[in-house]
Amino acid sequence: MDLIIIGLLGGLITGISPCILPVLPVIFLTGGAGSARFDGEALPARRSRPYLVIAGLVLSFSLVTLVGSLLLGLLGLPQDIIRWAGIIVLIVIGVGLLIPRFEQLLEKPFQWLPRREVNNRGSGFGVGLALGAVFVPCAGPVLAAIIVAGSTGQIGPGTIVLTLSFAIGVAVPLLVFALAGRGLVERIRAFRKRERGLRITAGVAMIALAVGLVFNVPQLLQRLLPDYTAGLQQDLAEEQADALDLGGLVTDENRELDNCTNGAEELESCGTAPSIRGIEQWLNTPDGEELDLAALRGQVVLVDFWAYSCINCQRSIPHVVAWDETYADAGLQVIGIHSPEYAFEKDAANVAAGIRDFGIGYPVALDNDLSTWTNYRNRYWPAHYLIDAEGTVRHISFGEGNYAATEKMIRELLQDAAPDATLPAATDVADVTPEAGATTRETFLGSAKDVNYGGEGAYRAGAGSFEFPTDQADDTFALQGEWQIETQFAAPAGEGAAVRLDYRASEVRMVLAGSGDILVRTTDGDRRTITVDGTPRSYRLVQQAAGAGLLTVEIPPGIQAYSFTFG
């Protein structure tokens, strides 16, 4: 019930927000614009037209939201392809409204249908399908959660309920606007006499919207307008984080994992370990040979979920490497499951470079489709699953810390498996996990995962011009200059672009890609240049005593900025 309420409220808020302004003229006009006979004579629009427009919008919006990212990832296609397809459809339909003969060509494949259906197909349901595809990117924090679920392959009942309720919420105010357009045409005699003129106006509006989308004009307009729903959307973002469990795909294979508690101090019994599945490639094994948990019975196994650019994983990995080096001869098998958070982390060469940098000698599986991640119902980087010699999960630890307890249980299981064996001394890797709340949260510059933007206006995908705010809030970032905001990163669109970060940490790192030099300036006058070259990786910007700070990073074109991480 919580998901339905959150979805409906999120949709309603989105449907009355400045986000709908670019598509509003098209919805209003196509609700009343009629169709043409094959002889060119104008007919009034059918009464079902507004409903067809909104039905098409809701359908494409839901499909793109639920499965768009998943399918595009499987096909290896760019995420923006659906938006461009929607733009093309808008242009085609707009030209059809302007030129009846062109519309007749579009209708030819459907001539086997009754003519009344043919006449209304192109500018009703089809318009809605196109609008839904181009409308998706602006749809707020609830949609961000749904997209993450789809892109990780974790589309469960909760995700579907949230999506459908969100789409219904969006449809209500949009349908009101479409019906208003229909009602206006029916009530004003001048419009009824000038049906052809209304069709031309609708066609021009559709083409104008498509051209504007090409040049990201809607995003610019939205930045210039106050977002009167921003506060409500932020409240919903916080509520949905608690209501939607993106890692909750329960199967017979993983159901008993519920018997474990996160970070327990003693061994527990949590069912047979789920299988390792859907692995694209194995690294650090002879000839890329895959490992099978069933074949490892008799050994204690530690399954470590990680990603090479994740700062939390970077602090955790030295402990895992030390356990592998210390206890491998005593019967411990460590398996790293590399589960990418970013698209660039799917590249085997990038992961191999990370393995070398961290000194990892144990096998690593590339879980690029997050199949094993899903099978273990995981939600965190890093995450440790400890499995005994009989194949039973005995301990789960999410996130950083808890290393001493985990090592103690590793030793217990090794001793249980070989009671007469003498174990080496325990490791002594320092635990550098920051205290809870002591550092700024991980800060993403891509539009899909932004949580702490401190500049003026909304932070949306597309091209935009930014200025630093006069008073920037704690633990936030802001931009200056011309930027192109993408789903996973932000890239300068001209000279003079910069990021300003207010933070709390002793170490600040930034994930960057591309080629060029960035300039890092701090409030104490320190200036340093860092050379960026190659695929995305983490660069250290600041190393200091723990505390608050403010830094500015000047970034030239040719470099992509993904995130800030803190230690």
Side-chain angles (χ1 to χ4, degrees):
M1 183 59 68
D2 286 343
L3 291 178
I4 295 174
I5 294 173
I6 290 173
L8 288 173
L9 288 177
L12 286 169
I13 292 169
T14 301
I16 61 173
S17 72
C19 179
I20 71 164
L21 294 179
V23 301
L24 190 57
V26 174
I27 291 173
F28 187 82
L29 288 167
T30 53
S35 185
R37 295 182 186 275
F38 283 102
D39 58 9
E41 179 184 350
L43 288 174
R46 294 177 61 193
R47 291 187 177 276
S48 61
R49 176 67 58 78
Y51 300 95
L52 289 172
V53 172
I54 302 304
L57 186 148
V58 168
L59 177 62
S60 64
F61 177 88
S62 300
L63 289 177
V64 170
T65 300
L66 277 172
V67 300
S69 296
L70 177 61
L71 290 179
L72 291 179
L74 292 175
L75 296 174
L77 298 174
Q79 297 289 319
D80 212 27
I81 192 170
I82 296 178
R83 173 177 173 271
W84 283 103
I87 290 172
I88 292 172
V89 173
L90 284 176
I91 293 175
V92 170
I93 295 176
V95 173
L97 287 170
L98 294 174
I99 306 173
R101 289 187 179 275
F102 182 71
E103 185 180 35
Q104 293 169 21
L105 292 176
L106 296 178
E107 291 174 341
K108 277 189 176 181
F110 307 102
Q111 286 183 359
W112 58 276
L113 296 170
R115 179 160 297 186
R116 285 178 60 86
E117 292 297 320
V118 171
N119 289 338
N120 288 280
R121 178 179 295 272
S123 56
F125 192 69
V127 171
L129 290 174
L131 289 177
V134 300
F135 181 67
V136 164
C138 74
V142 173
L143 179 61
I146 302 169
I147 289 177
V148 170
S151 64
T152 58
Q154 299 175 16
I155 298 176
T159 311
I160 295 173
V161 168
L162 184 64
T163 303
L164 294 179
S165 58
F166 188 95
I168 293 171
V170 170
V172 171
L174 295 184
L175 180 60
V176 171
F177 290 119
L179 290 173
R182 168 76 199 196
L184 187 62
V185 171
E186 289 182 340
R187 287 173 173 77
I188 300 178
R189 179 173 299 178
F191 277 9
R192 291 201 299 268
K193 292 181 178 180
R194 294 175 175 83
E195 184 73 21
R196 175 61 184 155
L198 186 61
R199 282 170 50 83
I200 292 175
T201 304
V204 170
M206 236 176 288
I207 294 174
L209 172 60
V211 173
L213 288 167
V214 171
F215 294 101
N216 293 298
V217 173
Q219 284 84 355
L220 177 60
L221 292 175
Q222 290 164 20
R223 295 183 197 279
L224 296 176
L225 293 172
D227 190 350
Y228 42 83
T229 63
L232 294 172
Q233 292 199 30
Q234 181 60 35
D235 292 341
L236 278 173
E238 296 173 359
E239 290 181 24
Q240 63 85 20
D242 295 329
L244 181 62
D245 182 2
L246 297 180
L249 295 181
V250 181
T251 66
D252 290 340
E253 190 175 1
N254 60 32
R255 192 178 309 279
E256 291 186 61
L257 292 178
D258 284 330
N259 297 334
C260 271
T261 54
N262 176 30
E265 295 294 326
E266 301 293 337
L267 289 168
E268 300 172 313
S269 183
C270 315
T272 302
S275 60
I276 296 173
R277 60 172 60 171
I279 300 304
E280 183 170 306
Q281 183 178 344
W282 284 86
L283 302 176
N284 282 359
T285 64
D287 299 321
E289 180 182 349
E290 67 179 62
L291 296 186
D292 182 4
L293 288 179
L296 295 175
R297 297 289 170 83
Q299 292 183 266
V300 176
V301 178
L302 177 69
V303 175
D304 175 33
F305 288 90
W306 70 294
Y308 80 83
S309 75
C310 163
I311 186 65
N312 311 86
C313 301
Q314 292 172 18
R315 290 192 289 257
S316 172
I317 285 173
H319 295 271
V320 181
V321 169
W323 295 336
D324 174 61
E325 293 175 347
T326 302
Y327 300 113
D329 291 340
L332 176 68
Q333 175 65 67
V334 178
I335 301 176
I337 306 295
H338 188 273
S339 304
E341 187 174 11
Y342 290 110
F344 64 76
E345 291 176 320
K346 295 182 178 183
D347 186 273
N350 292 347
V351 180
I355 288 174
R356 290 193 299 271
D357 291 343
F358 298 128
I360 294 173
Y362 48 82
V364 173
L366 302 190
D367 187 27
N368 283 352
D369 294 328
L370 300 185
S371 299
T372 299
W373 168 288
T374 302
N375 204 32
Y376 274 73
R377 298 169 61 188
N378 186 38
R379 294 191 296 156
Y380 300 94
W381 293 273
H384 301 138
Y385 292 73
L386 185 58
I387 305 167
D388 67 18
E390 301 300 321
T392 300
V393 177
R394 303 296 302 276
H395 177 68
I396 298 175
S397 181
F398 293 137
E400 296 181 70
N402 199 46
Y403 303 119
T406 299
E407 182 170 7
K408 178 177 74 73
M409 284 178 265
I410 289 174
R411 296 175 66 88
E412 286 183 32
L413 293 180
L414 289 173
Q415 202 72 69
D416 290 344
D420 297 331
T422 300
L423 296 179
T427 62
D428 60 355
V429 178
D431 186 350
V432 294
T433 305
E435 294 182 11
T439 65
T440 301
R441 65 186 301 183
E442 188 171 7
T443 297
F444 299 92
L445 275 70
S447 62
K449 300 179 70 173
D450 156 54
V451 291
N452 49 352
Y453 176 62
E456 301 293 335
Y459 194 77
R460 297 189 176 98
S465 180
F466 297 83
E467 292 185 3
F468 288 149
T470 304
D471 185 18
Q472 185 171 329
D474 296 343
D475 299 312
T476 65
F477 76 95
L479 302 181
Q480 180 169 277
E482 302 296 323
W483 286 83
Q484 177 69 34
I485 310 300
E486 301 292 349
T487 303
Q488 294 195 337
F489 63 85
E495 299 295 337
V499 186
R500 189 168 70 191
L501 176 73
D502 184 289
Y503 67 91
R504 291 172 298 118
S506 58
E507 180 183 24
V508 180
R509 304 183 70 93
M510 194 173 189
V511 177
L512 300 162
S515 180
D517 293 333
I518 65 171
L519 176 62
V520 181
R521 294 185 286 110
T522 61
T523 51
D524 60 7
D526 182 45
R527 297 165 60 93
R528 57 190 298 251
T529 299
I530 299 174
T531 298
V532 177
D533 186 26
T535 56
R537 66 185 184 91
S538 177
Y539 294 82
R540 178 183 292 157
L541 306 185
V542 172
Q543 182 79 56
Q544 62 180 27
L550 186 70
L551 65 82
T552 301
V553 185
E554 298 178 9
I555 304 178
I559 292 179
Q560 300 85 48
Y562 286 84
S563 65
F564 289 101
T565 57
F566 306 93

